[in-house]
């Protein structure tokens, strides 16, 4: 019995040593990955600086400088609203922006379900078939949650996400 206990303790000690060794290897790999990412980031900004010194207009096409909501509202006419979508695996998020106010809603549809509806709509559209039924289903998901907001906007700018880049035909 005592020898079994000793063997179990030895096995436990070996497992603990293996765990520590693996933890240290993982930490070293994480440090190496962090170092690699920092070097890549430095190189990226170095390349952008080279491009900027050669042609400062060109670098604006490469650098993403998002506007703050405050700055965005300064350039957005009063009668225009912005509708932005984000497709996630579990649901659809919709944001609206108008007159300096941002609001959002969540729609209970998975990304996969939405992709299927859009694919069906695209197939019908590309074959010049009737899209009204599927279009109405999509409108129910994409527009109904923000219908009142849309009615209050004279013009609507849509910022689609992923598969939401498709033709919106016959949508009132």
């Amino acid at each position: 019995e005592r020898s079994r206990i000793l063997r179990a303790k030895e096995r436990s000690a070996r497992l603990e040593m293996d765990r520590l060794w693996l933890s240290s290897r993982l930490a070293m790999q994480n440090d190496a990955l962090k170092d690699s990412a920092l070097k890549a980031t430095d190189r990226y900004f170095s390349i952008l600086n080279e491009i900027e010194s050669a042609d400062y207009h060109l670098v604006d096409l490469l650098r993403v400088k998002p506007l703050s909501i405050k700055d965005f509202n300064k350039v957005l006419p009063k009668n225009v609203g912005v509708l932005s979508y984000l497709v996630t695996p579990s649901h659809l998020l919709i944001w609206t922006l108008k007159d300096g106010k941002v609001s959002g809603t969540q729609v209970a549809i998975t990304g996969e379900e939405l992709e299927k509806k859009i694919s069906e709509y695209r197939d019908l559209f590309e074959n010049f078939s009737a899209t009204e039924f599927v279009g109405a289903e999509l409108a129910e998901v994409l527009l109904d949650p923000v219908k009142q907001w849309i009615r209050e906007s004279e013009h609507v700018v849509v910022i689609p996400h992923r598969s939401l880049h498709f033709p919106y035909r016959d949508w009132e």
Side-chain angles (χ1 to χ4, degrees), residues 5-141:
I5 294 172
L6 285 174
R7 280 193 308 258
K9 284 183 177 181
E10 287 175 8
R11 216 174 317 136
S12 176
R14 278 195 307 264
L15 287 173
E16 180 62 16
M17 287 176 50
D18 287 348
R19 186 190 68 78
L20 291 171
W21 181 81
L22 287 171
S23 293
S24 67
R25 287 280 295 168
L26 185 59
M28 288 188 318
Q29 287 177 344
N30 282 343
D31 288 344
L33 286 173
K34 287 177 189 172
D35 187 49
S36 179
L38 287 172
K39 286 179 182 174
T41 301
D42 288 344
R43 181 70 182 130
Y44 169 76
F45 285 112
S46 173
I47 290 169
L48 282 180
N49 288 334
E50 288 176 31
I51 293 169
E52 187 172 30
S53 64
D55 184 351
Y56 69 94
H57 292 291
L58 181 59
V59 82
D60 286 339
L61 298 173
L62 303 174
R63 263 194 195 139
V64 177
K65 296 179 184 176
L67 290 174
S68 68
I69 291 174
K70 183 179 177 182
D71 291 335
F72 193 78
N73 274 310
K74 287 179 186 175
V75 296
L76 190 65
K78 291 286 183 210
N79 58 347
V80 175
V82 177
L83 187 57
S84 180
Y85 293 96
L86 177 68
V87 179
T88 74
S90 58
H91 52 272
L92 172 69
L93 297 173
I94 306 173
W95 287 277
T96 58
L97 170 65
K98 186 172 183 289
D99 299 330
K101 296 180 188 118
V102 178
S103 63
T105 189
Q106 181 175 311
V107 180
I109 186 169
T110 67
E112 187 177 321
E113 291 169 329
L114 186 57
E115 297 284 333
K116 285 179 187 175
K117 285 186 185 295
I118 291 169
S119 179
E120 183 181 355
Y121 182 82
R122 274 198 178 115
D123 289 344
L124 292 170
F125 184 83
E126 289 169 1
N127 292 312
F128 301 101
S129 300
T131 59
E132 290 81 13
F133 179 75
V134 178
E137 288 180 337
L138 282 172
E140 186 177 316
V141 170

Side-chain angles (χ1 to χ4, degrees), residues 79-83 143 149-158:
N79 58 347
V80 175
V82 177
L83 187 57
L143 303 177
W149 176 89
I150 291 171
R151 286 188 183 126
E152 295 169 2
S153 302
E154 190 174 327
H155 301 283
V156 176
V157 174
V158 176

Side-chain angles (χ1 to χ4, degrees), residues 118 122 158-168:
I118 291 169
R122 274 198 178 115
V158 176
I159 302 173
H161 180 242
R162 299 175 90 173
S163 62
L164 294 177
H165 291 85
F166 68 92
Y168 295 81

